[in-house]
mmCIF file of all heavy atoms in Angstrom:
data_model
loop_
_atom_site.group_PDB
_atom_site.id
_atom_site.type_symbol
_atom_site.label_atom_id
_atom_site.label_comp_id
_atom_site.label_asym_id
_atom_site.label_seq_id
_atom_site.Cartn_x
_atom_site.Cartn_y
_atom_site.Cartn_z
ATOM 1 N N LYS U 88 -1.391 1.545 11.824
ATOM 2 C CA LYS U 88 -2.111 0.133 11.651
ATOM 3 C C LYS U 88 -2.596 -0.297 13.023
ATOM 4 O O LYS U 88 -3.682 -0.703 13.146
ATOM 5 C CB LYS U 88 -1.070 -0.808 11.014
ATOM 6 C CG LYS U 88 -1.714 -2.163 10.710
ATOM 7 C CD LYS U 88 -0.812 -3.188 10.223
ATOM 8 C CE LYS U 88 -0.275 -2.940 8.839
ATOM 9 N NZ LYS U 88 0.220 -4.082 8.243
ATOM 10 N N PRO U 166 0.250 -15.436 11.274
ATOM 11 C CA PRO U 166 -0.815 -14.552 11.273
ATOM 12 C C PRO U 166 -1.761 -14.535 9.842
ATOM 13 O O PRO U 166 -2.743 -13.885 9.918
ATOM 14 C CB PRO U 166 -0.176 -13.162 11.378
ATOM 15 C CG PRO U 166 1.169 -13.318 10.752
ATOM 16 C CD PRO U 166 1.521 -14.660 11.013
ATOM 17 N N SER U 167 -1.265 -15.093 8.848
ATOM 18 C CA SER U 167 -1.877 -14.937 7.601
ATOM 19 C C SER U 167 -3.238 -15.339 7.482
ATOM 20 O O SER U 167 -4.061 -14.536 6.844
ATOM 21 C CB SER U 167 -0.956 -15.678 6.456
ATOM 22 O OG SER U 167 0.346 -15.493 6.547
ATOM 23 N N THR U 170 -5.101 -12.541 8.876
ATOM 24 C CA THR U 170 -5.107 -11.338 7.946
ATOM 25 C C THR U 170 -6.021 -11.576 6.753
ATOM 26 O O THR U 170 -6.837 -10.570 6.456
ATOM 27 C CB THR U 170 -3.619 -11.203 7.290
ATOM 28 O OG1 THR U 170 -2.644 -11.083 8.476
ATOM 29 C CG2 THR U 170 -3.504 -9.968 6.482
ATOM 30 N N GLN U 199 -4.055 -10.715 -6.996
ATOM 31 C CA GLN U 199 -2.500 -10.592 -7.396
ATOM 32 C C GLN U 199 -1.655 -11.211 -6.279
ATOM 33 O O GLN U 199 -1.567 -10.516 -5.186
ATOM 34 C CB GLN U 199 -2.062 -9.188 -7.607
ATOM 35 C CG GLN U 199 -0.649 -9.045 -8.088
ATOM 36 C CD GLN U 199 -0.192 -7.618 -8.099
ATOM 37 O OE1 GLN U 199 -0.499 -6.721 -7.202
ATOM 38 N NE2 GLN U 199 0.508 -7.220 -9.238
ATOM 39 N N GLY U 200 -1.183 -12.452 -6.432
ATOM 40 C CA GLY U 200 -0.224 -13.009 -5.319
ATOM 41 C C GLY U 200 -1.098 -14.005 -4.597
ATOM 42 O O GLY U 200 -2.030 -13.707 -3.790
ATOM 43 N N LEU U 201 -0.748 -15.268 -4.711
ATOM 44 C CA LEU U 201 -1.307 -16.349 -3.987
ATOM 45 C C LEU U 201 -0.450 -16.947 -2.993
ATOM 46 O O LEU U 201 -0.147 -18.139 -2.968
ATOM 47 C CB LEU U 201 -1.841 -17.416 -4.986
ATOM 48 C CG LEU U 201 -3.050 -17.123 -5.783
ATOM 49 C CD1 LEU U 201 -3.264 -18.155 -6.806
ATOM 50 C CD2 LEU U 201 -4.196 -16.775 -4.937
ATOM 51 N N GLY U 202 0.125 -16.144 -2.130
ATOM 52 C CA GLY U 202 1.140 -16.518 -1.032
ATOM 53 C C GLY U 202 0.246 -16.941 0.203
ATOM 54 O O GLY U 202 -0.893 -17.356 0.167
ATOM 55 N N HIS U 203 0.786 -16.685 1.391
ATOM 56 C CA HIS U 203 0.073 -16.997 2.623
ATOM 57 C C HIS U 203 -1.237 -16.383 2.693
ATOM 58 O O HIS U 203 -2.168 -17.142 3.158
ATOM 59 C CB HIS U 203 1.017 -16.643 3.866
ATOM 60 C CG HIS U 203 2.239 -17.516 3.995
ATOM 61 N ND1 HIS U 203 3.516 -17.102 3.126
ATOM 62 C CD2 HIS U 203 2.565 -18.654 4.546
ATOM 63 C CE1 HIS U 203 4.291 -17.998 3.622
ATOM 64 N NE2 HIS U 203 3.763 -18.895 4.291
ATOM 65 N N VAL U 204 -1.376 -15.053 2.377
ATOM 66 C CA VAL U 204 -2.602 -14.477 2.605
ATOM 67 C C VAL U 204 -3.519 -14.644 1.435
ATOM 68 O O VAL U 204 -4.657 -15.001 1.599
ATOM 69 C CB VAL U 204 -2.433 -12.893 2.846
ATOM 70 C CG1 VAL U 204 -3.759 -12.210 2.957
ATOM 71 C CG2 VAL U 204 -1.508 -12.597 4.164
ATOM 72 N N GLY U 205 -2.880 -14.490 0.181
ATOM 73 C CA GLY U 205 -3.673 -14.630 -1.043
ATOM 74 C C GLY U 205 -4.581 -15.871 -1.127
ATOM 75 O O GLY U 205 -5.602 -16.005 -1.545
ATOM 76 N N SER U 222 -3.157 -14.517 -10.214
ATOM 77 C CA SER U 222 -1.932 -14.545 -10.925
ATOM 78 C C SER U 222 -0.792 -14.651 -9.779
ATOM 79 O O SER U 222 -1.055 -14.078 -8.738
ATOM 80 C CB SER U 222 -1.765 -13.122 -11.533
ATOM 81 O OG SER U 222 -0.448 -12.923 -11.794
ATOM 82 N N ASP U 223 0.217 -15.355 -10.043
ATOM 83 C CA ASP U 223 1.369 -15.455 -9.199
ATOM 84 C C ASP U 223 2.551 -15.873 -10.082
ATOM 85 O O ASP U 223 2.470 -16.323 -11.111
ATOM 86 C CB ASP U 223 1.260 -16.495 -8.147
ATOM 87 C CG ASP U 223 2.164 -16.358 -6.981
ATOM 88 O OD1 ASP U 223 3.317 -16.466 -7.162
ATOM 89 O OD2 ASP U 223 1.586 -15.988 -5.822
ATOM 90 N N ILE U 224 3.810 -15.367 -9.474
ATOM 91 C CA ILE U 224 4.925 -15.723 -10.459
ATOM 92 C C ILE U 224 5.405 -17.222 -10.138
ATOM 93 O O ILE U 224 6.146 -17.699 -10.828
ATOM 94 C CB ILE U 224 6.111 -14.728 -10.042
ATOM 95 C CG1 ILE U 224 6.386 -14.726 -8.461
ATOM 96 C CG2 ILE U 224 5.937 -13.393 -10.565
ATOM 97 C CD1 ILE U 224 7.581 -13.856 -8.085
ATOM 98 N N ASN U 225 4.673 -17.733 -9.082
ATOM 99 C CA ASN U 225 4.898 -19.156 -8.771
ATOM 100 C C ASN U 225 3.791 -19.999 -9.586
ATOM 101 O O ASN U 225 2.578 -19.970 -9.207
ATOM 102 C CB ASN U 225 4.862 -19.211 -7.268
ATOM 103 C CG ASN U 225 5.076 -20.802 -6.867
ATOM 104 O OD1 ASN U 225 5.022 -21.744 -7.718
ATOM 105 N ND2 ASN U 225 5.438 -20.927 -5.568
ATOM 106 N N PRO U 243 1.225 -12.299 -14.637
ATOM 107 C CA PRO U 243 1.449 -11.162 -13.708
ATOM 108 C C PRO U 243 1.323 -9.945 -14.458
ATOM 109 O O PRO U 243 0.822 -8.904 -13.816
ATOM 110 C CB PRO U 243 2.927 -11.426 -13.275
ATOM 111 C CG PRO U 243 3.157 -12.987 -13.282
ATOM 112 C CD PRO U 243 2.367 -13.252 -14.493
ATOM 113 N N CYS U 257 -2.358 -8.803 -3.367
ATOM 114 C CA CYS U 257 -1.821 -9.512 -2.140
ATOM 115 C C CYS U 257 -0.471 -10.022 -2.347
ATOM 116 O O CYS U 257 0.066 -11.087 -2.025
ATOM 117 C CB CYS U 257 -2.791 -10.740 -1.956
ATOM 118 S SG CYS U 257 -4.371 -10.327 -1.595
ATOM 119 N N ALA U 258 0.368 -9.191 -3.245
ATOM 120 C CA ALA U 258 1.754 -9.632 -3.425
ATOM 121 C C ALA U 258 2.618 -8.628 -2.765
ATOM 122 O O ALA U 258 2.968 -8.696 -1.566
ATOM 123 C CB ALA U 258 2.077 -9.775 -4.936
ATOM 124 N N MET U 259 3.131 -7.579 -3.558
ATOM 125 C CA MET U 259 4.018 -6.640 -2.978
ATOM 126 C C MET U 259 3.458 -5.242 -2.984
ATOM 127 O O MET U 259 2.387 -5.050 -3.495
ATOM 128 C CB MET U 259 5.393 -6.639 -3.822
ATOM 129 C CG MET U 259 5.241 -6.236 -5.260
ATOM 130 S SD MET U 259 4.538 -7.509 -6.194
ATOM 131 C CE MET U 259 4.244 -6.595 -7.715
ATOM 132 N N ALA U 279 -4.444 -7.300 0.657
ATOM 133 C CA ALA U 279 -3.592 -7.374 1.851
ATOM 134 C C ALA U 279 -2.153 -6.714 1.869
ATOM 135 O O ALA U 279 -1.586 -6.326 2.767
ATOM 136 C CB ALA U 279 -3.187 -8.824 2.087
ATOM 137 N N ALA U 280 -1.791 -6.284 0.596
ATOM 138 C CA ALA U 280 -0.325 -5.849 0.442
ATOM 139 C C ALA U 280 -0.112 -4.608 1.364
ATOM 140 O O ALA U 280 -1.055 -3.789 1.273
ATOM 141 C CB ALA U 280 -0.037 -5.618 -0.958
ATOM 142 N N ASN U 281 1.016 -4.343 1.779
ATOM 143 C CA ASN U 281 1.306 -3.185 2.441
ATOM 144 C C ASN U 281 1.719 -2.018 1.579
ATOM 145 O O ASN U 281 2.209 -2.259 0.373
ATOM 146 C CB ASN U 281 2.507 -3.239 3.397
ATOM 147 C CG ASN U 281 2.249 -4.017 4.728
ATOM 148 O OD1 ASN U 281 1.238 -3.708 5.433
ATOM 149 N ND2 ASN U 281 2.867 -5.060 5.011
ATOM 150 N N ASN U 307 -5.484 -4.847 6.068
ATOM 151 C CA ASN U 307 -4.644 -5.937 6.494
ATOM 152 C C ASN U 307 -4.186 -5.984 7.912
ATOM 153 O O ASN U 307 -3.220 -6.666 8.283
ATOM 154 C CB ASN U 307 -3.314 -5.904 5.569
ATOM 155 C CG ASN U 307 -2.451 -4.638 5.862
ATOM 156 O OD1 ASN U 307 -2.534 -4.017 6.781
ATOM 157 N ND2 ASN U 307 -1.576 -4.435 4.786
ATOM 158 N N GLY U 310 -3.361 -9.318 10.800
ATOM 159 C CA GLY U 310 -1.995 -9.966 11.284
ATOM 160 C C GLY U 310 -1.501 -9.441 12.481
ATOM 161 O O GLY U 310 -1.120 -10.062 13.396
HETATM 162 P P1 NAD E 414 3.887 -14.227 0.658
HETATM 163 O O1 NAD E 414 5.375 -13.941 0.374
HETATM 164 O O2 NAD E 414 3.530 -15.441 1.203
HETATM 165 O O3 NAD E 414 3.157 -14.204 -0.739
HETATM 166 C C1 NAD E 414 3.280 -13.239 -1.618
HETATM 167 C C2 NAD E 414 2.948 -13.862 -3.077
HETATM 168 O O4 NAD E 414 3.030 -13.010 -4.097
HETATM 169 C C3 NAD E 414 4.037 -15.100 -3.353
HETATM 170 O O5 NAD E 414 3.168 -16.213 -3.687
HETATM 171 C C4 NAD E 414 4.648 -14.529 -4.566
HETATM 172 O O6 NAD E 414 5.000 -15.596 -5.548
HETATM 173 C C5 NAD E 414 3.727 -13.577 -5.200
HETATM 174 N N1 NAD E 414 4.283 -12.490 -6.108
HETATM 175 C C6 NAD E 414 5.360 -11.848 -5.958
HETATM 176 N N2 NAD E 414 5.553 -11.032 -6.982
HETATM 177 C C7 NAD E 414 4.382 -11.060 -7.750
HETATM 178 C C8 NAD E 414 3.917 -10.615 -8.934
HETATM 179 N N3 NAD E 414 4.634 -9.602 -9.581
HETATM 180 N N4 NAD E 414 2.768 -10.903 -9.465
HETATM 181 C C9 NAD E 414 2.025 -11.929 -8.780
HETATM 182 N N5 NAD E 414 2.442 -12.450 -7.680
HETATM 183 C C10 NAD E 414 3.635 -12.068 -7.149
HETATM 184 O O7 NAD E 414 3.410 -13.001 1.445
HETATM 185 P P2 NAD E 414 1.976 -12.864 2.291
HETATM 186 O O8 NAD E 414 2.427 -13.120 3.811
HETATM 187 O O9 NAD E 414 0.880 -13.649 1.732
HETATM 188 O O10 NAD E 414 1.669 -11.415 2.232
HETATM 189 C C11 NAD E 414 1.181 -10.714 1.145
HETATM 190 C C12 NAD E 414 1.215 -9.270 1.169
HETATM 191 O O11 NAD E 414 0.515 -8.916 2.289
HETATM 192 C C13 NAD E 414 2.640 -8.629 1.477
HETATM 193 O O12 NAD E 414 2.608 -7.312 0.885
HETATM 194 C C14 NAD E 414 2.640 -8.355 2.988
HETATM 195 O O13 NAD E 414 3.514 -7.461 3.303
HETATM 196 C C15 NAD E 414 1.305 -8.090 3.358
HETATM 197 N N6 NAD E 414 0.727 -8.428 4.613
HETATM 198 C C16 NAD E 414 0.891 -9.685 5.005
HETATM 199 C C17 NAD E 414 0.398 -10.019 6.328
HETATM 200 C C18 NAD E 414 0.396 -11.438 6.803
HETATM 201 O O14 NAD E 414 -0.156 -11.784 7.817
HETATM 202 N N7 NAD E 414 1.165 -12.365 6.124
HETATM 203 C C19 NAD E 414 -0.122 -9.054 7.178
HETATM 204 C C20 NAD E 414 -0.242 -7.711 6.777
HETATM 205 C C21 NAD E 414 0.270 -7.406 5.517
#
Side-chain angles (χ1 to χ4, degrees):
K88 189 183 289 205
S167 310
T170 303
Q199 180 185 47
L201 289 174
H203 291 89
V204 180
S222 164
D223 199 294
I224 49 174
N225 179 343
C257 297
M259 63 284 168
N281 282 311
N307 69 18

